Amino acid sequence: MKSFLSKDLTKDELYQAVKMLIDAEETEPKAAHLPQQKLYTLFSAAFQYLLFCSTKHPGAYIIRIEDAHLADKLARRAKDPTTRKFLTKLLVPRRLKYNKSTFYLDFFQLTTWQQTNEIPPARLKGCLIVKGTSDKIMQDEVMADPSEETEVEVDPTSLLPENYYLESIRPLVERLVVIAYGKEIKDAKKILFPFIEDTEKMPSGVVIKEDLQFEDDQDI
């Protein structure tokens, strides 16, 4: 039986994926949609792209995942060790300093957006959104007062516009990648990764990170 790590993406595959996302920046629309079925593979590719961007364009980067359960699965099953290590470190504090950039983690829940809502717009550089295969709408924690008798509990998130987890961040970031299988993402270009050997020269400075060095978190 093959080991878990033997199923990881090769460096060539990661290089090719990052290059395709970099090339996609040159054409409109700027948002990229990764619609293929391999969620853990796509997450590794998209995260490596975001990590590369963070070294070239320092600032704030948001990773917005559907829920904490999916985030935990991605941290354990992403298809390269760097991505697994980084997301595992990000899970609990949901904010992590890397070189001159800061990565934030939130979910499709308004109650998790406190940190990201406080980011100065000028600092926002990119966002990676990961939609699972469920059809759940945005969630929020609605606490009812047991001392009050109510016939109907109205969830405030039901009043939000469709795809608010995406549309609320779209105009604020320069780079947006959405992983969503079986969904149509408006005003986003679909990118399909063939993961064949890439013989073209990589853009100067593209490095797939293996030895990450984190700094103590600090306010932006």
Side-chain angles (χ1 to χ4, degrees), residues 117-128:
N117 284 340
E118 294 174 352
I119 302 172
R123 284 277 293 169
L124 276 171
K125 300 298 180 182
C127 180
L128 168 57

Side-chain angles (χ1 to χ4, degrees), residues 25 46-64 86 90 94-98 100-106 116 119-120 123-129 169 173-177 220:
E25 293 179 0
F47 176 78
Q48 285 288 349
Y49 163 71
L50 218 64
L51 196 63
F52 167 74
C53 291
S54 76
T55 65
K56 298 299 180 181
H57 310 282
Y61 289 82
I62 297 172
I63 299 176
R64 179 165 290 173
F86 197 107
L90 185 60
R94 299 218 303 267
R95 184 167 100 170
L96 191 61
K97 182 79 173 179
Y98 176 66
K100 296 181 180 180
S101 294
T102 305
F103 282 76
Y104 295 82
L105 173 66
D106 64 21
T116 45
I119 302 172
R123 284 277 293 169
L124 276 171
K125 300 298 180 182
C127 180
L128 168 57
I129 293 178
I169 195 68
V173 295
E174 300 173 16
R175 296 161 189 84
L176 175 65
V177 181
I220 56 177

Side-chain angles (χ1 to χ4, degrees), residues 113-151:
W113 291 11
Q114 181 176 354
Q115 285 191 116
T116 45
N117 284 340
E118 294 174 352
I119 302 172
R123 284 277 293 169
L124 276 171
K125 300 298 180 182
C127 180
L128 168 57
I129 293 178
V130 186
K131 176 76 175 70
T133 56
S134 72
D135 291 325
K136 293 185 298 184
I137 62 173
M138 274 195 63
Q139 299 177 358
D140 203 356
E141 296 175 5
V142 181
M143 301 299 293
D145 186 344
S147 65
E148 297 181 1
E149 294 184 2
T150 56
E151 295 183 359

Side-chain angles (χ1 to χ4, degrees), residues 2-79:
K2 292 184 179 180
S3 68
F4 174 77
L5 293 180
S6 69
K7 299 179 182 179
D8 280 355
L9 290 169
T10 66
K11 284 187 177 182
D12 285 339
E13 290 168 336
L14 284 173
Y15 281 143
Q16 186 177 19
V18 172
K19 183 179 185 302
M20 290 178 68
L21 287 167
I22 293 171
D23 290 345
E25 293 179 0
E26 302 301 321
T27 59
E28 296 291 341
K30 294 298 184 182
H33 175 204
L34 308 185
Q36 291 167 295
Q37 193 171 5
K38 300 293 185 178
L39 176 61
Y40 306 121
T41 297
L42 294 179
F43 183 74
S44 278
F47 176 78
Q48 285 288 349
Y49 163 71
L50 218 64
L51 196 63
F52 167 74
C53 291
S54 76
T55 65
K56 298 299 180 181
H57 310 282
Y61 289 82
I62 297 172
I63 299 176
R64 179 165 290 173
I65 301 174
E66 185 166 325
D67 54 40
H69 178 65
L70 180 57
D72 181 68
K73 290 174 65 175
L74 290 167
R76 291 184 287 109
R77 301 177 66 178
K79 295 303 182 180

